[in-house]
Amino acid sequence: MRKLVYILPLLISLSSVLSGQTIIRNNNYWDNVYNINPASINGAYLSSISMGIQKQWINFEGAPTTISTTGTIYFEEIATQLGVKAFVEKKGFTSAMDFDFSYTNSFSISDFWNLNLGVAISYQNLSYDLSEIVVPYNENPDIYDKLHSTNHINSDFGFEFNDQNWKIGGSSQNLLSLFREENDIHVNTNLLYALYRQTSNDYINYGYGLSAFQYDNLFLMELNFSTFIKKNRDSNPIQIGTFYRIWREVGLNLGYDLDRFKVSYSCSYNFGKILQSSLGTHEIILTYNFNKFHRCRNCW
């Protein structure tokens, strides 16, 4: 349906309201922390690829649809990881694209703990579908000239401490946006997190997580709890998890691990006013891992 827009500030306001989860990322980033931090290394496999699609606020017109891919390869001899990450998000009449290339080094700081430091450089594009915008005859047609496609170079930085059970880290995304006057969709975002997962031969294991996001003047926190169930000691675990994100959003994470291949599904519901017009947010991620570590560093 074509949108009827009266003035440019209304356009910008609508785009802000539809920002949804506020940064382009997967809902279920717990299984692949590289989605939010270039310093995160898969501790069980030398290389990994993932593809995901997320449909946010189903039945809500103009809500974001995000397609994401990640790929990493770790060189054990030099303790270095190279990675790529791409997100494409369609939101109303706007489209955002983010393509990252990252470099990460791992340093052993004790017999149990490693410190990972990672940097990323990203190419970003923000564009508008002008066919979805109609300006009344009595308005200035120059409004279209202000909705031209923009391109930016940006950068991320992150750190992560990990041992066999813990991942504790943080990252700052879109650092170069701090030095730009315009306030586009790729604004500086900072986050901290702590994730714990039991690593044992028990049939049932547990995982916990806490994360905090700062996006411009918006602050979010998220609590996560997961149970991993195996039929026997040699079988792959089934993941059943739940999370709560302020304000008033709850979700469910499901995952089935087929050794190297994993299927993850996530859904969430916001119990604010948007619930009356939406069937929630749904996401599916497919992950394939290559080449196990000779010495497992973090066997999640």
Side-chain angles (χ1 to χ4, degrees):
M1 180 181 295
R2 297 169 67 87
K3 314 290 190 302
L4 185 62
V5 181
Y6 293 93
I7 53 176
L8 184 59
L10 182 60
L11 254 175
I12 299 172
S13 298
L14 178 61
S15 178
S16 176
V17 168
L18 294 178
S19 62
Q21 61 187 27
T22 71
I23 57 174
I24 305 177
R25 59 172 171 81
N26 289 329
N27 210 12
N28 186 13
Y29 56 86
W30 303 93
D31 280 338
N32 184 7
V33 187
Y34 178 73
N35 273 304
I36 59 173
N37 188 354
S40 187
I41 293 177
N42 186 331
Y45 294 91
L46 292 173
S47 54
S48 177
I49 58 173
S50 72
M51 299 184 65
I53 182 169
Q54 180 192 91
K55 180 63 179 177
Q56 192 164 341
W57 302 342
I58 290 178
N59 264 8
F60 195 95
E61 186 177 4
T65 297
T66 304
I67 298 174
S68 62
T69 60
T70 67
T72 58
I73 181 170
Y74 184 79
F75 300 94
E76 195 168 10
E77 299 80 5
I78 56 175
T80 297
Q81 175 179 276
L82 301 179
V84 293
K85 178 174 62 177
F87 288 88
V88 178
E89 184 176 73
K90 171 69 174 176
K91 179 168 53 182
F93 47 80
T94 68
S95 296
M97 187 272 288
D98 192 311
F99 179 83
D100 289 17
F101 174 79
S102 67
Y103 176 88
T104 307
N105 264 118
S106 181
F107 305 91
S108 179
I109 58 177
S110 75
D111 291 338
F112 303 101
W113 287 90
N114 287 347
L115 169 62
N116 304 331
L117 297 176
V119 295
I121 185 169
S122 56
Y123 168 77
Q124 300 170 332
N125 173 268
L126 178 65
S127 60
Y128 304 89
D129 185 356
L130 299 183
S131 66
E132 293 289 318
I133 305 170
V134 176
V135 179
Y137 293 113
N138 60 342
E139 297 292 337
N140 187 353
D142 292 341
I143 188 174
Y144 290 106
D145 296 333
K146 299 181 180 180
L147 296 176
H148 59 276
S149 176
T150 59
N151 300 292
H152 294 301
I153 299 296
N154 230 314
S155 65
D156 304 340
F157 171 79
F159 70 92
E160 184 178 88
F161 294 93
N162 64 77
D163 70 351
Q164 193 174 9
N165 298 289
W166 284 93
K167 289 180 180 286
I168 302 173
S171 68
S172 183
Q173 302 172 347
N174 302 325
L175 285 170
L176 298 184
S177 294
L178 292 172
F179 306 98
R180 299 193 181 114
E181 293 183 1
E182 68 270 22
N183 184 22
D184 58 29
I185 195 172
H186 302 110
V187 302
N188 176 245
T189 301
N190 300 287
L191 62 100
L192 294 171
Y193 59 85
L195 309 176
Y196 172 83
R197 177 172 168 182
Q198 292 178 336
T199 51
S200 70
N201 291 324
D202 295 339
Y203 295 118
I204 298 178
N205 285 317
Y206 302 99
Y208 315 89
L210 171 66
S211 61
F213 292 83
Q214 175 264 320
Y215 173 88
D216 198 13
N217 60 350
L218 179 66
F219 294 89
L220 297 173
M221 293 191 68
E222 184 174 311
L223 294 170
N224 175 282
F225 174 79
S226 290
T227 302
F228 302 87
I229 305 171
K230 297 195 291 185
K231 295 181 179 179
N232 54 63
R233 295 188 186 278
D234 297 323
S235 64
N236 296 305
I238 298 173
Q239 176 188 358
I240 303 174
T242 184
F243 63 87
Y244 173 74
R245 181 184 302 142
I246 60 173
W247 308 98
R248 293 183 294 178
E249 185 169 1
V250 298
L252 174 70
N253 289 330
L254 301 174
Y256 187 59
D257 195 339
L258 299 170
D259 195 15
R260 296 178 182 271
F261 181 72
K262 183 170 185 178
V263 180
S264 303
Y265 168 76
S266 175
C267 64
S268 64
Y269 292 87
N270 189 300
F271 287 89
K273 293 182 179 180
I274 195 171
L275 183 63
Q276 303 172 7
S277 306
S278 168
L279 297 177
T281 297
H282 298 263
E283 174 184 284
I284 186 167
I285 302 175
L286 306 177
T287 304
Y288 190 82
N289 299 301
F290 303 84
N291 306 322
K292 284 190 175 182
F293 268 118
H294 297 299
R295 181 176 65 85
C296 184
R297 296 166 184 262
N298 189 310
C299 292
W300 285 21

